Amino acid sequence: MVTLAEVAQHAGVSASTVSYVLSGKRSISASTRQRVEQSIRELGYHPNAGARALASSRSNIIALMIPLRTDMYVPVMMEIAIAVATTARTHGYDVLLLTGEEGPDAVRRVTGSGLADAMIVMDVELQDERLPLLRGTGQPSVLIGLPADTTGLTCVDLDWGATGALCLEHLAVLGHRDIAVIGEAPAVYERHTGFAERTLDGLRSRARELGLKVLHRPCEGGYDAMAATLARIFDERPGTTGFVVQNESAVEPLLALLRQQGRAVPEDVSVVAICPEQVAVQASVRLTSVAVPAQEMGRRAVEHLVAKLDGRGRDEVVLLAPELTVRASSGPAPSAP
Amino acid sequence: MVTLAEVAQHAGVSASTVSYVLSGKRSISASTRQRVEQSIRELGYHPNAGARALASSRSNIIALMIPLRTDMYVPVMMEIAIAVATTARTHGYDVLLLTGEEGPDAVRRVTGSGLADAMIVMDVELQDERLPLLRGTGQPSVLIGLPADTTGLTCVDLDWGATGALCLEHLAVLGHRDIAVIGEAPAVYERHTGFAERTLDGLRSRARELGLKVLHRPCEGGYDAMAATLARIFDERPGTTGFVVQNESAVEPLLALLRQQGRAVPEDVSVVAICPEQVAVQASVRLTSVAVPAQEMGRRAVEHLVAKLDGRGRDEVVLLAPELTVRASSGPAPSAP
DNA sequence: GAAGTGTGTCGAAGCGCTTCGACTGCTTCG
DNA sequence: CGAAGCAGTCGAAGCGCTTCGACACACTTC
């Protein structure tokens, strides 16, 4: 293993000079710099991470807490994680992967041990146990998701309320009056995950303003669950002509079942999905949808974190504006018989 | 920030004693141990990771390289990553997330800097650039996936050859003679990803033994691509009655298209899928399938790595035996007209 | 020409931990 | 009863780096 000292000797300078060449924190003459860089290359030197962390009390690592559960938005989570990792690298950081399993203890451990300089937390619940800890430590952190109380926190998220409203509006403009909302699995609502509730709120309040009727049904993914859910919906509200789906694994079943029942999309019923772009495009009917900007969220989270670590940036809630893309699954409501 | 020295002072012992309490590397009297543990708790002490790494030249971190691409098996990758992270924690390790982006350099960086003690590499290509590096370093590593040459490497993977053979056999036993294989996107084959090619080899060689005809077609996911692929298949081989699908995003389109064409599953054609359990169960027809044991793979990879780090364990190729679960998508071949 | 101002380099201290050898009392055994 | 062995503890060295102050030297500035 090559050390700084060996590089220094090889280049005929002192260790501190090599360090300054590496960090750029003091000016170094061009000739010395070149000599040192040459030695670094020749010897294949890599600074020891532990020593660096100890001496500088900076680990250059960002911790990322991902949910343990895989009952929703798996590809989204993955995309965020990848975006976080790659963005972090461009700023010189590595990413430590924590699963939610340890819960709040993970926050303590990472903060206390100096393992990471900062933290990104996903799958935030409205009253998340981790929040007090994050507020308490001096460590910068960014949430991907929005808790009930955001004071003293930095959050990045899609504006789910606006997303719900946008979907509703789109259907309203098309003349639909009776809307069914197919949501995530009941468990998602039970643990008060912010995005699910906010979407619903946005949807409902806009419906109230526009005088539309909204029926919300959580739904496990898959055909059987969707079939049951759909039956109940048409049972309660036979006049339903608009659907908003926020559950990737219910999208395709819904389309298949509608087809099976002889309800044409978009002639008889319109469907608007809230899902990753890929799902919307690959579905059997190209779906009018609001995409979840996963990459953007990951990137923004890291950038805010880096800003904080550099002393710039302050607590802030960043809500990304939803964008609705009209595709083939929505159209004018059938005129009443 | 609380240090070892402060704990020592608080407990009235020397720093080394506290260290030995923590590591258990020397015997400590029960009374001293208790006093120290008490102090640790009272002060909320967490050992500094950097200092530890420096002094012991062990970071207690495992690096996990995941693919940057998201053109296949995203949920599987995610499941593996989560399994790796949770298993690693039970052995006292944390996980550093690396994307394939940096390529081989990431291996050099992590190895050289002592950032991680060991490495798990996913998305292995048959002739992977990273292999020479992994063989060269003293660092233990485990591949999830199988390259062409495994000498000096430890690998964990599903036995894809056997998986292919198993699917083929199942269809053969049911009397199908003309089999179509719907594969991953062409790009996956082009970069010579081991699993895709091995599956195909296993399938084909068993087909040869049993005298069946096999037609392989790579396929991007989604309806349009699947429709084109399916048309070509029935065009070339109108007598096709068995399908093997290795591409999650082609599964549902295939089923829908078959239905649309009036071909009943499993009465007219049988479908066997190679996909995550969830996809098989949630599909519109419950699919006969071979599951990808993602969790198992992640767990095993970590356990092998930990064994190596402990000086136990040696290079070895672990192939998990595939299991085929019969569900509702496969049945006897229709007797020839 | 003395004082001030940069610029480039070095030496040494120290980050918080692990670990080795040494020491102290015991017990145990020939 | 002295030597040997062991459990339990301590002190000190050192892991590889960053960073602070000091210093040498070359310039400007009055």
Side-chain angles (χ1 to χ4, degrees), chain A residues 58 123 222:
Chain A
R58 291 286 235 101
D123 195 31

Side-chain angles (χ1 to χ4, degrees), chain A:
Chain A
M1 189 173 178
V2 190
T3 70
L4 226 210
E6 291 170 315
V7 173
Q9 195 176 4
H10 186 272
V13 297
S14 74
S16 47
T17 300
V18 176
S19 177
Y20 286 123
V21 167
L22 250 30
S23 69
K25 291 192 180 173
R26 286 202 181 173
S27 54
I28 297 286
S29 69
S31 69
T32 305
R33 183 199 319 290
Q34 276 166 24
R35 214 146 23 91
V36 170
E37 283 168 352
Q38 177 67 20
S39 298
I40 288 177
R41 248 174 286 122
E42 279 181 32
L43 301 179
Y45 169 70
H46 285 271
N48 180 286
R52 241 184 189 182
L54 179 56
S56 66
S57 38
R58 291 286 235 101
S59 65
N60 284 297
I61 289 181
I62 291 174
L64 174 67
M65 285 192 81
I66 61 168
L68 192 58
R69 324 173 170 102
T70 52
D71 58 354
M72 53 167 211
Y73 280 103
V74 175
V76 173
M77 299 292 174
M78 188 82 178
E79 211 178 318
I80 293 178
I82 289 176
V84 166
T86 59
T87 311
R89 281 303 307 145
T90 70
H91 293 276
Y93 287 87
D94 273 294
V95 171
L96 196 77
L97 190 67
L98 304 174
T99 62
E101 200 186 29
E102 276 179 282
D105 285 351
V107 178
R108 280 194 206 91
R109 191 169 61 85
V110 168
T111 309
S113 68
L115 232 187
D117 298 332
M119 194 148 197
I120 295 177
V121 177
M122 295 173 65
D123 195 31
V124 181
E125 298 176 10
L126 287 176
Q127 309 289 340
D128 206 292
E129 300 181 87
R130 296 166 295 189
L131 302 184
L133 288 169
L134 292 176
R135 286 203 187 87
T137 87
Q139 270 205 357
S141 61
V142 171
L143 312 189
I144 296 186
L146 220 55
D149 176 10
T150 63
T151 53
L153 298 172
T154 296
C155 310
V156 173
D157 204 355
L158 175 62
D159 188 338
W160 294 99
T163 301
L166 189 58
C167 293
L168 200 280
E169 234 161 68
H170 175 70
L171 291 171
V173 167
L174 291 170
H176 299 273
R177 315 265 86 204
D178 243 329
I179 313 292
V181 180
I182 309 208
E184 298 284 353
V188 175
Y189 295 92
E190 276 153 25
R191 63 175 186 257
H192 299 290
T193 311
F195 82 92
E197 305 202 357
R198 281 172 208 279
T199 309
L200 209 51
D201 289 348
L203 231 144
R204 283 194 174 129
S205 72
R206 183 54 54 92
R208 218 170 302 121
E209 289 168 28
L210 299 175
L212 306 203
K213 284 164 67 180
V214 165
L215 182 66
H216 171 242
R217 289 283 169 263
C219 181
E220 308 275 354
Y223 275 81
D224 300 345
M226 188 66 240
T229 304
L230 195 60
R232 277 176 50 210
I233 289 172
F234 280 124
D235 204 42
E236 280 186 57
R237 297 271 176 84
T240 301
T241 61
F243 284 87
V244 177
V245 196
Q246 180 172 216
N247 181 339
E248 346 176 88
S249 57
V251 163
E252 200 50 55
L254 173 63
L255 294 174
L257 287 161
L258 289 172
R259 212 177 292 129
Q260 224 173 75
Q261 301 181 1
R263 300 180 202 258
V265 174
E267 292 78 6
D268 301 329
V269 297
S270 287
V271 177
V272 179
I274 302 169
C275 67
E277 201 83 348
Q278 210 204 354
V279 172
V281 173
Q282 289 198 348
S284 54
V285 178
R286 291 170 48 84
L287 292 168
T288 295
S289 73
V290 174
V292 183
Q295 263 187 256
E296 173 87 1
M297 282 157 67
R299 223 200 57 228
R300 295 281 280 260
V302 171
E303 277 163 5
H304 271 264
L305 214 44
V306 171
K308 278 193 180 182
L309 286 166
D310 292 353
R312 304 173 287 120
R314 63 228 174 306
D315 290 336
E316 188 180 356
V317 172
V318 179
L319 290 184
L320 305 178
E323 286 179 25
L324 186 140
T325 306
V326 179
R327 297 201 185 80
S329 69
S330 62
S335 36

Side-chain angles (χ1 to χ4, degrees), chain B residues 26 43 98 168 186 201 329:
Chain B
R26 287 203 181 171
L43 300 179
L98 304 174
L168 201 281
D201 290 347
S329 67

Side-chain angles (χ1 to χ4, degrees), chain B residues 179-186 189 200 204 214-220 225-226 228-234 236-237 243-247 250:
Chain B
I179 312 294
V181 180
I182 307 204
E184 297 283 355
Y189 295 91
L200 208 51
R204 283 195 174 129
V214 165
L215 183 67
H216 170 242
R217 288 283 168 263
C219 181
E220 308 276 355
M226 188 65 239
T229 304
L230 195 60
R232 276 176 50 208
I233 289 172
F234 279 124
E236 281 184 59
R237 297 271 177 84
F243 283 87
V244 177
V245 196
Q246 180 172 216
N247 181 338

Side-chain angles (χ1 to χ4, degrees), chain B residues 4 16 19-20 25-26 45 48 52 55:
Chain B
L4 227 209
S16 46
S19 178
Y20 287 123
K25 292 192 179 171
R26 287 203 181 171
Y45 169 70
N48 180 287
R52 240 180 189 185

